[in-house]
Amino acid sequence: MNEGWFALIQQALSLLFSLDKDVWSIIWVSFSVSLAALLITLVPSMLLGFVLAFTQFRGRNFVLNLVQTLQSIPTVVIGLLVYLLLTRMGPLGDLRWLFTQQGMILGQMLICAPVLIAMSQAAFTSVDRRAWETALTLGASLPRAIAMVSRELRGPLLLAVIAAFSRIVTEVGCSMMVGGNIEYVTRNIPTAIALETSKGDFAQAIALGLVLLFLAIIMNFALGSLRGKNQVRSH
């Protein structure tokens, strides 16, 4: 049994270090789609988080409740919603994004946006409002004042980015429904692991799992480093 597992891990490492085409195409699809979704969503989500933290407006409570609801919806349900939007009879059917990377990006945007909005709003709420008021009093433009406050909160805001990316790069439900798990096109790490495990091809599944494990370790070290720096500054 131990020898069998050792052989599987050897095969998995061999697939990674030999730059196996199938494995690395899956990794490329996974990271390119998730990074695109994150980058497209990042600025609008953080701006909305800023608005929710610093302003009062009609419908604010509705927006907050909507963000909280979207955070709690399973990714497979979001996948179903995007699937219905992108089907030929759906309102976005003319885009022909179903079973494409564009469709996967749209789905992952809907998954990561609530995380970014909620965590950035919490970060902006924690800041001393006098810093914002002082920046405006000194004549800073609105974009410059927002940039100054964001610079003070770069630690918590980076935590929001890491959390959002972690959520979308590991989700499987939405990617499976909207992307269709098409080889070399929409097959990403989570959908490939599910497929290869069901086929009994554990070597490739382990190789891809090791990539996610390595990513998780890097992110945890980054989070720990940020928390340490924030604690030092607070003291």
Side-chain angles (χ1 to χ4, degrees):
M1 185 70 172
N2 291 335
E3 291 181 359
W5 276 108
F6 183 73
L8 282 174
I9 292 173
Q10 275 190 319
Q11 292 176 35
L13 292 174
S14 176
L15 289 172
L16 289 172
F17 290 111
S18 66
L19 303 181
D20 180 79
K21 178 185 176 182
D22 293 340
V23 170
W24 281 98
S25 69
I26 292 167
I27 295 171
W28 169 251
V29 169
S30 193
F31 280 87
S32 60
V33 166
S34 295
L35 283 172
L38 179 67
L39 292 175
I40 294 170
T41 315
L42 183 60
V43 173
S45 297
M46 288 198 169
L47 285 176
L48 182 53
F50 178 86
V51 170
L52 290 171
F54 279 90
T55 64
Q56 297 290 332
F57 57 91
R58 181 178 296 179
R60 179 177 179 273
N61 287 336
F62 171 78
V63 175
L64 286 172
N65 289 331
L66 179 61
V67 169
Q68 292 173 358
T69 301
L70 288 173
Q71 277 189 283
S72 62
I73 294 178
T75 60
V76 69
V77 176
I78 294 178
L80 175 61
L81 172 63
V82 176
Y83 181 92
L84 294 175
L85 290 173
L86 296 179
T87 54
R88 189 170 299 178
M89 301 299 293
L92 301 180
D94 290 341
L95 294 175
R96 299 190 177 184
W97 280 3
L98 191 61
F99 305 138
T100 67
Q101 291 186 14
Q102 290 92 330
M104 293 173 66
I105 290 171
L106 177 61
Q108 292 192 7
M109 287 171 61
L110 294 177
I111 295 170
C112 75
V115 178
L116 287 171
I117 294 169
M119 293 188 69
S120 60
Q121 188 240 341
F124 286 122
T125 301
S126 68
V127 76
D128 190 342
R129 293 183 68 91
R130 289 175 296 182
W132 165 251
E133 294 167 356
T134 300
L136 293 177
T137 302
L138 294 175
S141 63
L142 185 60
R144 186 174 178 81
I146 294 174
M148 290 173 62
V149 174
S150 299
R151 197 155 43 240
E152 291 295 317
L153 294 169
R154 56 185 175 272
L157 292 179
L158 186 54
L159 293 180
V161 172
I162 292 174
F165 183 73
S166 298
R167 179 161 166 77
I168 58 177
V169 80
T170 57
E171 72 82 22
V172 63
C174 181
S175 294
M176 186 75 79
M177 293 194 67
V178 178
N181 202 21
I182 302 171
E183 190 174 16
Y184 303 125
V185 180
T186 59
R187 182 169 299 169
N188 62 8
I189 293 176
T191 60
I193 289 176
L195 175 66
E196 298 305 322
T197 301
S198 67
K199 289 165 50 180
D201 187 359
F202 295 107
Q204 188 176 107
I206 291 172
L208 296 171
L210 288 173
V211 172
L212 290 183
L213 178 61
F214 183 67
L215 177 65
I217 291 172
I218 292 176
M219 288 185 171
N220 276 326
F221 272 109
L223 289 174
S225 177
L226 284 173
R227 290 193 186 101
K229 289 179 180 178
N230 289 335
Q231 288 174 358
V232 170
R233 286 173 184 167
S234 64
H235 290 300

